[in-house]
Amino acid sequence: MKQASEWKALAGELRLHGQAYIDGGFRPALSGDTFRSINPATEQWLVDVASCGQEDVDAAVASGLRAFRAGTWSKISPAERKRVLLRLADLLEQHHDEFALLDSLDVGKPIAEMVTVDIPESLDCWRWTAEAIDKLYGEIAPTAAHTLGLISHQPVGVVGAITPWNYPLLMATWKLAPALAAGNSVVIKPSEKASLSMLRLAELATEAGLPDGVLNVVPGLGEVAGKALALHHDVRVLTFTGSSRVAGMLLQYAGQSNLKRVLIEAGGKSPMLVFDDCSDLAAAARVAAASIFSNQGEMCIACSRLYLQNGIKQAFLDQLLQVAADYRVGDPLDPETKMGAVIDATQLATIERYVQSAIDQGGSVLTGGLPEYVQGQGFFVKPTIIDDARSDMVFVQEEIFGPVLAVAGFATEAEAVELANDTIYGLGASVWTSDLSRAHRVSGAIESGMVWVNGWGGGDSLMPFGGVKASGNGRDKSLHSLEKYTDVKAVWISL
Ligand code: NAD
């Protein structure tokens, strides 16, 4: 991997795009309004970004609908769409360093994570989805001989996408790849805290051969551009990744407008359960640390609640504390850095508030603790582990979105499952045991969309990604993601 000095030199040469991308080209917001994009690791200005309003969203949706009706994308063969999307993946790979820098500078995440996680997983998703699209068949229903019943999956039209800032390129890719592969047009509103990679990606999509209007990017504030997209009558499916709070608002907007389908990938408070028959405590401790400290803990699937069977609790914590001590916090462009900056001052204050509440409610800080902020030098938090967590504590119940781990012991399997499920969320869970029957029992009993046994994460495109309860109803990745961006059509032909 490149050294910090090389990344810094490349960062100095970056061309940053801040305008909206509509109908195949960059343009300012019609109002001329902009907002500032800041590097959270230095608090320095990066670029001014167009702050789109209702009129820009209208123009983007109209462009998407025009393209959809013209059929330049929606009606070409899936094999042709595949070729364009594979070209886009190739271009993304050619611009690998540029995209690694764009997201790292924009959100403060370690460049090493961009290189090892975000970019390879984005490439995998584009390629896997593109390859899948010309291998899916419709059905013929077993009707009587005088009728033919055809069942097919049709693109829906214009898909609106609203995405978060924690994995700007990757989260958007999980939406764009299946929505585009299925033949839809997309209007995407990236988070106002991370718009840069999406704007550049749209430009590359045009270079790859995506017809104008099929992919439009409207950067802007959630309550303005996001709301306009969510209320739009010509948006047929709204696909969202973000907080459960905003997801609830989007469901209301859908009800107030055209009953559009709302696909939700929302927050989490995922548990990790380690049983005393876990055969490799060292591996479990390494994964426990990665699952809460990677990306500064700004991960929907972070295992932010760690439940340890009483017999191994102390031995496990000793190993975990050693691993946590090796988590180097600092300059995201240094490839040795394991934790960069959190997204902004608001997020820093939120994390501080939760750590204080944990202390006030009787938690024991084993490492880390309240952030020490130095004005003008970025928003950094140390890996923080807090023992003696109870389910009635605020920091155990609410999603913090920072590197703060709640730890508690348990005696029995039934107690572990009860603790795991004692949350409004249901995104992921990690279970560590060497007993296959227990692995099946516990993974079945946990209320979540995903369970990892003796592991956590899992980056390829083969498996669906999504949650239950307040974590949402969507499924990114896998063939299940493609289903979400199509309508089932039944055609009866009387013979
Ligand atoms: P957020 O909900 O604050 O914002 C997400 C997006 O919604 C942004 O683009 C924002 O501008 C937009 N938005 C805000 N208010 C809006 C409104 N009134 N109308 C329309 N759009 C609006 O979330 P965030 O802080 O960007 O991201 C962090 C959250 O995302 C966490 O809760 C995290 O768990 C979740 N997340 C979930 C997954 C998953 O796959 N389940 C993945 C990543 C992040």
Side-chain angles (χ1 to χ4, degrees):
M1 200 183 306
K2 291 185 170 60
Q3 298 303 306
S5 56
E6 295 173 276
W7 285 114
K8 286 199 169 111
L10 285 175
E13 292 163 15
L14 269 187
R15 203 164 46 97
L16 300 176
H17 300 264
Q19 295 193 330
Y21 197 86
I22 298 174
D23 222 15
F26 285 111
R27 55 168 91 163
L30 284 164
S31 64
D33 290 349
T34 57
F35 56 84
R36 287 161 64 79
S37 168
I38 302 290
N39 178 346
T42 60
E43 299 181 49
Q44 282 169 7
W45 172 86
L46 290 168
V47 67
D48 286 335
V49 178
S51 188
C52 289
Q54 167 89 52
E55 58 284 7
D56 304 294
V57 171
D58 286 347
V61 174
S63 162
L65 193 57
R66 244 187 344 266
F68 186 77
R69 291 195 171 141
T72 48
W73 181 252
S74 55
K75 292 204 169 66
I76 63 174
S77 72
E80 285 175 83
R81 293 203 294 267
K82 171 177 83 173
R83 281 192 282 279
V84 172
L85 297 183
L86 289 176
R87 265 201 303 276
L88 174 56
D90 290 345
L91 284 171
L92 178 59
E93 192 162 34
Q94 281 164 30
H95 292 270
H96 172 284
D97 290 354
E98 180 184 353
F99 277 88
L101 281 167
L102 282 174
D103 277 358
S104 177
L105 294 173
D106 213 3
V107 304
K109 70 163 65 195
I111 197 86
E113 282 206 24
M114 286 305 301
V115 170
T116 55
V117 179
D118 299 49
I119 305 261
E121 291 192 15
S122 299
L123 288 171
D124 182 64
C125 181
W126 281 110
R127 289 184 171 136
W128 190 92
T129 314
E131 282 294 353
I133 196 64
D134 63 349
K135 296 165 190 73
L136 298 171
Y137 295 77
E139 299 158 53
I140 297 179
T143 52
H146 58 276
T147 54
L148 181 60
L150 303 175
I151 303 167
S152 63
H153 287 267
Q154 304 281 323
V156 299
V158 179
V159 170
I162 299 180
T163 49
W165 46 263
N166 60 337
Y167 289 83
L169 174 67
L170 185 60
M171 292 302 101
T173 295
W174 288 359
K175 315 272 183 217
L176 295 178
L180 291 172
N184 300 290
S185 297
V186 180
V187 177
I188 181 166
K189 194 213 79 68
S191 167
E192 53 271 51
K193 298 175 187 174
S195 316
L196 304 185
S197 55
M198 225 12 59
L199 293 167
R200 179 70 176 119
L201 188 81
E203 195 182 28
L204 284 192
T206 300
E207 194 180 328
L210 197 72
D212 293 351
V214 174
L215 173 59
N216 302 287
V217 187
V218 284
L221 305 181
E223 59 275 18
V224 181
K227 184 174 178 182
L229 191 59
L231 279 168
H232 208 291
H233 282 260
D234 288 330
V235 170
R236 297 279 316 281
V237 167
L238 185 66
T239 177
F240 171 74
T241 299
S243 62
S244 304
R245 183 186 66 83
V246 172
M249 296 164 81
L250 301 185
L251 289 169
Q252 287 185 16
Y253 299 153
Q256 287 161 18
S257 52
N258 61 343
L259 301 185
K260 56 180 69 65
R261 191 185 310 156
V262 184
L263 309 177
I264 296 168
E265 302 285 355
K269 194 76 193 175
S270 299
M272 179 177 287
L273 313 182
V274 186
F275 289 91
D276 57 12
D277 59 10
C278 167
S279 61
D280 191 347
L281 283 191
R286 279 195 304 277
V287 173
S291 84
I292 184 66
F293 302 141
S294 304
N295 209 45
Q296 305 73 245
E298 295 165 327
M299 284 177 296
C300 53
I301 55 165
C303 285
S304 47
R305 297 180 296 139
L306 175 64
Y307 297 113
L308 303 169
Q309 198 153 19
N310 292 331
I312 48 113
K313 184 171 177 230
Q314 196 51 53
F316 190 92
L317 283 177
D318 292 344
Q319 305 216 31
L320 180 62
L321 286 166
Q322 267 180 31
V323 182
D326 283 342
Y327 265 72
R328 187 157 139 189
V329 183
D331 179 4
L333 294 189
D334 182 339
E336 299 300 319
T337 293
K338 283 193 150 180
M339 278 175 47
V342 300
I343 187 74
D344 58 15
T346 310
Q347 186 67 10
L348 190 77
T350 302
I351 294 169
E352 182 169 16
R353 212 172 47 245
Y354 278 115
V355 173
Q356 188 62 58
S357 85
I359 296 168
D360 294 345
Q361 290 191 290
S364 313
V365 177
L366 302 183
T367 188
L370 295 168
E372 292 153 18
Y373 171 65
V374 184
Q375 190 162 10
Q377 295 192 15
F379 311 113
F380 293 95
V381 185
K382 292 201 187 99
T384 296
I385 301 177
I386 303 179
D387 196 3
D388 301 318
R390 300 182 315 272
S391 289
D392 63 340
M393 292 162 113
V394 178
F395 95 115
V396 176
Q397 284 302 329
E398 297 184 9
E399 184 185 43
I400 302 173
F401 229 52
V404 181
L405 178 64
V407 181
F410 67 86
T412 63
E413 185 181 304
E415 189 190 351
V417 170
E418 197 181 322
L419 287 167
N421 287 339
D422 191 6
T423 167
I424 60 165
Y425 294 108
L427 191 54
S430 173
V431 178
W432 292 76
T433 176
S434 53
D435 178 341
L436 187 58
S437 301
R438 168 174 277 162
H440 271 293
R441 261 193 324 269
V442 174
S443 55
I446 290 180
E447 298 162 350
S448 69
M450 298 170 286
V451 179
W452 298 275
V453 176
N454 297 332
W456 168 84
D460 61 38
S461 299
L462 306 173
M463 295 279 279
F465 187 106
V468 299
K469 296 161 76 177
S471 294
N473 58 16
R475 289 295 178 271
D476 288 330
K477 306 205 289 184
S478 84
L479 295 183
H480 294 283
S481 71
L482 283 160
E483 281 163 22
K484 305 270 178 188
Y485 298 103
T486 55
D487 286 324
V488 172
K489 185 154 202 170
V491 176
W492 291 81
I493 301 177
S494 300
L495 302 172

